[in-house]
Amino acid sequence: MNIIYLHQYFITPSEPGGTRSYWIARELIKNGHQVTMITSSSTIEEKSKQIEVDGIKVIYIKEEYEQGMNLIKRLKAFLRFAIKSTVVSYKQQNIDLVIATSTPLTIGIPALILKWFKKTPYIFEVRDLWPEVPIQMGAINNKIIVMLTRFFEKNIYKNANFVVALSPGMQNGVIKYIPIEKTVMIPNMAKIDKFWPRESNINLMQELRLSENTFKVIHFGALGLANGIDKVLDTIELMNNNSTVEFIFIGGGSTEQQLQARCGHKGLKNVKFLGSFPMNLTSEIVNLCDVSLVSFKDLPILYTNSPNKLFDSLSAGKPIIVNSAGWTKDLVVQYNCGLYVNPNKPEELVDGIKYLQKNHEIRLQMGLNSRKLAEEKYDKAILSKQFLEVVNKIKN
């Protein structure tokens, strides 16, 4: 089939960020499909630019976007890309299928247009339950906008041939509107060949000015409002006099400068913000650490999350501390690959870190359990094939 793949923030392994669409596109190509990825870029000079990336035809559309944008600027960027990508998509010839992956929800606009006017089937992938996430976070509170966005969400699901949800909670949110038979749950992906346990890179540790003798807790990925890192800093403040523990943050986002300012104001010495890195260096840094922390703000809608960092932590063979009381809590507890702590009780995170620091054998076993789970259930090779099966159902 000739497939249009709509992803506003498509990332390759050479760039910082989530690469799920890249691996799915590669799997589709490997099985005889053609894939045209339509995405955005703020760095190209032209209005649009077409290149080939590992067999994927990628069309970049110029559109400015930054994590620090306010809601109005973000919505404008989302709508501008929706319009531009609709025009580009409509010009493509002999398209058999559209795959549209959120967020934002507006990525469904070009898919709907092609469905209505060209009868092209589409698969919609739900990475977050929009608009419920910004509604619960207080970013959208106008009753008319809430009503319109929920109406739009329902119509995207109803018109899709299949909806792929990235967690059980997301799937539950979708089946309020459509039969469960039209949905499938395919979570985020582990990458066992990109993150794996090995000897620590001491030269890199020295280059990053990390101590060789500390117990290292890492949080890698976005530092946005949804991640609730302010609560993690409450824990760091409680442990500021503990020179044996080091907290490491990789990634960026809208709260990064505020978090760094707080650390400076409070004189927190055992915390490092290292910035963003491509996947190969992120993997090396994660491997230097003892425990991975997956943090989210304490909101029921965020319990449905399916974070990349959790699955990369599984691949890396790390014990994982989660603070979201949803399916990620159930996962780490059921498979004994980590701990759950209440995000509103910083002393629980203190106790969890100290427990893992003192109990080497338990930490080692949790790491082995993590790696086994990544290899046997969540690796990209397994889950990309599951996505291919959904595509082939439409083909048949």
Side-chain angles (χ1 to χ4, degrees), residues 66-99:
E66 297 177 2
Q67 286 283 349
M69 283 181 170
N70 62 33
L71 177 63
I72 299 300
K73 288 183 177 179
R74 286 189 184 204
L75 289 175
K76 287 180 178 178
F78 296 158
L79 288 170
R80 282 195 301 265
F81 180 77
I83 293 167
K84 294 173 186 177
S85 60
T86 297
V87 173
V88 172
S89 299
Y90 207 87
K91 289 179 179 177
Q92 304 302 307
Q93 300 297 313
N94 303 314
I95 301 302
D96 301 299
L97 175 67
V98 173
I99 300 170

Side-chain angles (χ1 to χ4, degrees), residues 177-232:
Y177 301 115
I178 62 174
I180 192 170
E181 293 76 20
K182 283 185 63 178
T183 71
V184 62
M185 198 281 286
I186 304 176
N188 250 320
M189 300 174 176
K191 298 178 279 290
I192 62 173
D193 58 339
K194 303 298 180 183
F195 290 80
W196 73 98
R198 68 263 201 198
E199 291 295 319
S200 295
N201 185 336
I202 301 301
N203 290 334
L204 178 61
M205 190 182 298
Q206 293 171 346
E207 183 181 329
L208 296 172
R209 298 182 179 181
L210 301 175
S211 171
E212 293 184 34
N213 301 315
T214 55
F215 185 82
K216 296 175 180 62
V217 180
I218 188 166
H219 179 284
F220 60 106
L223 295 172
L225 285 171
N227 297 101
I229 304 300
D230 55 321
K231 296 293 186 180
V232 177

